[in-house]
Amino acid sequence: MSAETVSVTGWGRTAPTAARLIRPRTYEEAVAAVRGCGARGGIPRGLGRAYGDAAQNAGGAVLDMTALDRVHVIDAGSGIVLCDAGVSLHRLMRVLLPLGWFVPVTPGTRHVTVGGAIGADIHGKNHHVSGSFSRHLLSFELLTADGEIRTVSRGTPLFDATTGGLGLTGVILTATVQLQPVQTSLMSVDTERARDLDDLMARLTATDDHYRYSVAWIDLLARGAATGRAVLTRGEHAPLDALGTRARRDPLAFRPAQLPAPPAVLPEGLLNRRTVGWFNELWYRKAPRARTGQLQKLSTFFHPLDGVPHWNRVYGRGGFVQYQFVVPYGREDTLRRIVRRLSERRCPSFLAVLKRFGDADPGWLSFPQPGWTLALDIPAGLTGLGALLDELDEEIVEAGGRVYLAKDSRLRPELLAAMYPRLDDFRALRAELDPRGAFVSDLSRRLDL
Amino acid sequence: MKDAFGLPQSLLVLGGTSEIALATARRLVARRTRTVWLAGRPSSALEQSAADLRAQGADVRTVAFDALAPESHETVLGKVFAEGDIDMVLLAFGVLGDQAHDEREPLDAVRVAQTNYTGAVSAGLVSARALQAQGHGSLVVLSSVAGERARRSNFIYGSSKAGLDAFAQGLGDALHGTGVHVMVVRPGFVRTKMTAGLPEAPLATTPEEVATAVELGLRRRSETVWVPGVLRWVMSALRHVPREAFRRLPL
Ligand SMILES: Cc1cc2nc3c(=O)[nH]c(=O)nc-3n(C[C@H](O)[C@H](O)[C@H](O)COP(=O)(O)OP(=O)(O)OC[C@H]3O[C@@H](n4cnc5c(N)ncnc54)[C@H](O)[C@@H]3O)c2cc1C
Ligand SMILES: NC(=O)c1ccc[n+]([C@@H]2O[C@H](COP(=O)([O-])OP(=O)(O)OC[C@H]3O[C@@H](n4cnc5c(N)ncnc54)[C@H](OP(=O)(O)O)[C@@H]3O)[C@@H](O)[C@H]2O)c1
């Protein structure tokens, strides 16, 4: 088991801290790492796609779980997989699609691990129908602070503390997940444009229920009457009979395209209002006003950004902040106000993503709750950004909403309890399960989790 | 922990009554800082500084610290770090001295050097080690443009700041990749009690402006910060003025 001291950041590349990186190759090594993690504790890490500091631990240990990556059992009849937590969703797609199964929930990138999917209780474009990842999780094995491995099943406090628990209850070693059946690896996609935010919300509210997958991309640089103009893309796994004769020969093929990565060092200020404005304009105009039943690859529909490895580098050395929040249905006023403020502030933000969430799952720190969720990237160097986001947080709390911790890197800790009412239960469970603080992250230090 | 903008939640000020440091602390408390340690020579001014920051909502404690007693630094600062992570150390203590007087009284000149340079070497190294063990933190060092090129009118102070500046740069390089960020701040003439009664130099600035520059430097993870920013260019020009001419400049 190797260990070296390295500088670690999340996907947003802000707030680097140094930690001992340990890469266990067996469960025994993982147990040894947890038992020996020392005074500053340890935190599991998957593929580091959390934007903020959830998977870093200054001065302590970071357990890179990606070497534990075996797919143990696939029940191709009932669509259940048992695999290590270090397995990526990309890998699962490769293995499962030929068998006619797909992951139940996928985020905007396939390059996340099953452990990270549980730790953040991730949601996908199908949240309004399928809920978050934990809804499809049958059970998992958890290595806890005492060095023991427990099997955790649904409906227990430890299950609900761990789903969305950001690695702070222990290290997930394996997981058993219920999959989604598919006939093909293609998506049947409907696209339409919305001229402004109200038009967009009306369209989403009226017809989201007709689609399993739904998301809208808002151009935050559009102002005035066009504030909130957007492109909606919604879809369904294409059935076999939707395919042409050629595609039908290999209906479950999975061949995502990849472009070269941008260079490691890019000039600062590459993304500014002008360049991003051009991009957004172009993208809005090239979207069809309305188009139905277009066949797209899974990767095009779900993971457009994965086509460019290390795309996070375009934000330069200063990195970027991803801000994602949800406000309940009935508080569209807050959403409108926030979109207007972001547009007026002229944040050089690539498309922001708007989506409707369905019912919440029971994870104590799980993010999704019924309502509207908006996610956007903003360069961290933007003047006044910190103060602006603080003000938006206040509005969100007032509306009964919350921000997503797996993406957070800057929340004011005082607001956490209002956003996550089960916070005290989470703290109490941790105090009992992990009295000497074996599991610590920069996020848990910053927000006093 | 610092956030995405490099803002600290906990701050240790070495030189707890420094006007520049207090302006910086006020600014940081208004954003994210909750815990402040003011280290300095015990005085009513130190307690008053603490009270002012408390009124702003911070949890403030004072601790007796003397730059001229380097043998105590390990113990004094060790106790502070033992209470919890320090996200930012602001090394602000310093004395200007009285050039004309100090030239006549070498022992007084040595006190300037010992405060500004050797005191900072010891406190800087002790802090750096603690930050390194945490795996994160910023060490912000108040150097001065006076250290960039020693001038006839204040070369005793200037040379001590030159030493401090070189030390802090080297420390920054030594700590590269350890999660610890060292930022050297070089203000010009700042209107504080240190400069009270002195004729103002061109481009004179305020403690608040230094504080703003520090906040920006934290966000950018800068290694060097000039206040005001144009001094970077002024000083790089002055650096190349020949000795003969430099001597005769009215600086
Ligand atoms: C381009 C992009 C798009 C995204 N889109 C979405 C989206 O649509 N929906 C969404 O929900 N999220 C989205 N995310 C966020 C991402 O899905 C989550 O942050 C996810 O947790 C990342 O998984 P990871 O394996 O990279 O984990 P890391 O980032 O390494 O870790 C994330 C958290 O999981 C914990 N963790 C990791 N492995 C384990 C383990 N074995 N045991 C216990 N805890 C563990 C870590 O401690 C940490 O707290 C997106 C991220 C990117 C970069
Ligand atoms: N003002 C400027 O024009 C200017 C320009 C460039 C750089 N700087 C530098 O910025 C820093 C802060 O300056 P300032 O303008 O804020 O001045 P200041 O208000 O006079 O602060 C100086 C601080 O140093 C402390 N100090 C002096 N000797 C000490 C010792 N032996 N042990 C502990 N603390 C000691 C003082 O504490 P006491 O209260 O105990 O005396 C005071 O807190 C200094 O390093 C200065 O050199 C200032």
Side-chain angles (χ1 to χ4, degrees):
Chain A
M1 187 166 48
S2 59
E4 51 168 341
T5 298
V6 295
S7 179
V8 184
T9 73
W11 191 246
R13 301 171 92 214
T14 54
T17 61
R20 261 180 309 121
L21 193 67
I22 301 176
R23 196 152 188 267
R25 299 184 169 278
T26 62
Y27 304 142
E28 292 70 35
E29 286 188 351
V31 171
V34 167
R35 290 216 160 115
C37 62
R40 291 185 69 84
I43 193 74
R45 181 178 175 94
L47 283 162
R49 256 43 174 208
Y51 282 81
D53 48 7
Q56 29 188 117
N57 176 21
V62 168
L63 275 61
D64 174 354
M65 299 305 293
T66 56
L68 286 167
D69 63 347
R70 274 186 303 165
V71 177
H72 295 283
V73 184
I74 301 170
D75 181 336
S78 56
I80 292 173
V81 64
L82 165 62
C83 65
D84 283 344
V87 172
S88 71
L89 296 194
H90 174 77
R91 181 80 192 294
L92 281 184
M93 287 174 205
R94 272 195 186 292
V95 174
L96 297 169
L97 270 169
L99 305 174
W101 296 99
F102 190 58
V103 295
V105 168
T106 176
T109 170
R110 320 182 275 289
H111 300 293
V112 302
T113 63
V114 169
I118 300 169
D121 196 18
I122 60 167
H123 58 271
K125 296 181 182 187
N126 56 351
H127 189 276
H128 61 295
V129 176
S130 309
S132 57
F133 197 84
S134 60
R135 193 175 295 179
H136 313 273
L137 179 63
L138 303 178
S139 69
F140 56 86
E141 285 176 294
L142 187 71
L143 164 57
T144 46
D146 51 13
E148 301 298 322
I149 299 172
R150 308 167 191 226
T151 302
V152 184
S153 28
R154 300 185 63 83
T156 60
L158 193 50
F159 189 95
D160 294 343
T162 303
T163 52
L166 300 161
L168 294 165
T169 57
V171 181
I172 301 159
L173 294 176
T174 67
T176 308
V177 181
Q178 174 68 57
L179 305 161
Q180 161 76 31
V182 292
Q183 291 179 6
T184 72
S185 64
L186 292 175
M187 301 298 296
S188 167
V189 182
D190 292 0
T191 307
E192 52 190 295
R193 284 201 228 164
R195 62 180 182 278
D196 59 34
L197 188 62
D198 284 335
D199 182 26
L200 172 62
M201 290 198 286
R203 286 171 194 253
L204 287 172
T205 309
T207 50
D208 247 11
D209 294 343
H210 307 173
Y211 299 92
R212 178 184 296 274
Y213 299 99
S214 162
V215 76
W217 306 76
I218 302 186
D219 173 7
L220 277 183
L221 282 174
R223 278 187 301 178
T227 301
R229 73 173 177 184
V231 177
L232 286 74
T233 55
R234 300 187 285 185
E236 184 59 71
H237 294 283
L240 196 56
D241 58 24
L243 270 52
T245 39
R246 245 187 83 209
R248 229 179 276 191
R249 264 180 253 145
D250 190 6
L252 292 161
F254 181 57
R255 294 185 209 95
Q258 282 250 319
L259 297 173
V265 181
L266 281 172
E268 296 297 309
L270 200 62
L271 296 193
N272 53 44
R273 267 171 212 132
R274 181 161 320 148
T275 54
V276 174
W278 285 336
F279 173 87
N280 287 3
E281 184 72 35
L282 203 77
W283 161 91
Y284 181 77
R285 290 188 182 280
K286 91 169 210 319
R289 229 172 269 282
R291 180 167 178 182
T292 55
Q294 187 199 6
L295 289 182
Q296 284 186 358
K297 286 188 182 185
L298 280 173
S299 52
T300 310
F301 182 72
F302 288 111
H303 316 120
L305 287 167
D306 284 351
V308 187
H310 301 290
W311 60 264
N312 54 343
R313 287 179 188 160
V314 304
Y315 285 91
R317 201 176 89 96
F320 65 103
V321 170
Q322 155 111 176
Y323 190 61
Q324 180 169 6
F325 66 87
V326 55
V327 289
Y329 294 123
R331 294 310 304 264
E332 288 73 16
D333 56 323
T334 305
L335 178 66
R336 274 193 205 98
R337 211 164 36 239
I338 291 179
V339 168
R340 202 178 325 115
R341 288 190 66 173
L342 289 166
S343 302
E344 277 163 7
R345 183 63 191 71
R346 310 281 291 144
C347 289
S349 175
F350 277 118
L351 314 164
V353 175
L354 183 73
K355 154 143 206 78
R356 295 172 77 244
F357 275 154
D359 291 339
D361 285 278
W364 292 348
L365 297 187
S366 177
F367 166 65
Q369 65 178 45
W372 298 92
T373 183
L374 183 75
L376 59 148
D377 293 340
I378 317 170
L382 190 74
T383 310
L385 180 60
L388 173 68
L389 296 182
D390 282 353
E391 288 171 26
L392 301 189
D393 288 344
E394 302 278 348
E395 298 209 28
I396 288 158
V397 165
E398 189 276 321
R402 52 173 69 135
V403 301
Y404 190 5
L405 296 181
K407 300 193 170 178
D408 179 58
S409 54
R410 31 73 41 203
L411 181 66
R412 201 182 267 281
E414 290 84 348
L415 296 182
L416 196 64
M419 292 183 171
Y420 289 91
R422 301 297 300 268
L423 180 64
D424 282 342
D425 296 319
F426 185 76
R427 284 184 177 141
L429 180 134
R430 288 233 303 143
E432 197 185 315
L433 196 67
D434 183 8
R436 70 184 173 95
F439 296 107
V440 190
S441 64
D442 287 358
L443 179 102
S444 78
R445 281 196 185 92
R446 182 166 59 78
L447 295 179
D448 189 18
L449 287 171
Chain B
M1 251 357 270
K2 67 185 162 191
D3 67 7
F5 309 112
L7 291 173
Q9 291 180 311
S10 55
L11 168 70
L12 165 62
V13 177
L14 304 178
T17 60
S18 146
E19 285 184 45
I20 295 176
L22 291 170
T24 307
R26 279 196 297 278
R27 198 175 169 94
L28 294 175
V29 168
R31 298 288 300 117
R32 278 293 181 278
T33 308
R34 290 292 166 272
T35 309
V36 182
W37 291 87
L38 295 181
R41 295 180 292 195
S43 68
S44 56
L46 189 65
E47 293 312 320
Q48 187 55 49
S49 307
D52 292 347
L53 288 172
R54 257 178 227 127
Q56 232 192 305
D59 172 15
V60 190
R61 279 189 273 180
T62 57
V63 51
F65 166 84
D66 187 346
L68 289 170
E71 63 289 346
S72 69
H73 290 178
E74 188 94 61
T75 322
V76 169
L77 301 181
K79 278 196 190 120
V80 173
F81 279 95
E83 298 266 328
D85 281 15
I86 299 291
D87 303 337
M88 169 170 159
V89 177
L90 178 55
L91 198 155
F93 58 79
V95 290
L96 190 54
D98 174 344
Q99 176 75 27
H101 165 90
D102 295 346
E103 282 180 31
R104 291 191 305 273
E105 299 288 345
L107 284 182
D108 289 339
V110 165
R111 279 175 71 85
V112 172
Q114 284 178 334
T115 307
N116 296 354
Y117 179 59
T118 51
V121 166
S122 130
L125 287 174
V126 171
S127 302
R129 192 191 305 151
L131 294 176
Q132 201 180 340
Q134 288 178 179
H136 74 102
S138 294
L139 174 60
V140 179
V141 176
L142 294 185
S143 174
S144 166
V145 290
E148 185 70 4
R149 185 161 185 188
R151 286 172 288 142
R152 167 66 193 96
S153 58
N154 75 346
F155 64 84
I156 295 175
Y157 174 78
S159 65
S160 72
K161 287 293 185 186
L164 169 66
D165 198 289
F167 166 78
Q169 288 182 56
L171 189 61
D173 290 337
L175 292 174
H176 190 79
T178 64
V180 183
H181 159 226
V182 178
M183 182 161 96
V184 178
V185 183
R186 297 186 188 136
F189 186 104
V190 189
R191 294 179 201 110
T192 67
K193 60 183 181 293
M194 179 177 276
T195 52
L198 297 178
E200 247 181 45
L203 300 173
T205 181
T206 60
E208 287 70 28
E209 270 191 64
V210 182
T212 306
V214 167
E215 188 188 337
L216 182 65
L218 289 172
R219 190 169 83 211
R220 295 188 175 157
R221 281 176 266 161
S222 309
E223 295 180 313
T224 318
V225 169
W226 299 80
V227 202
V230 291
L231 277 175
R232 157 176 263 133
W233 314 113
V234 174
M235 290 314 291
S236 72
L238 274 183
R239 232 177 194 297
H240 296 99
V241 175
R243 274 291 274 286
E244 192 64 31
F246 190 73
R247 229 182 333 259
R248 277 185 268 112
L249 284 178
L251 292 169

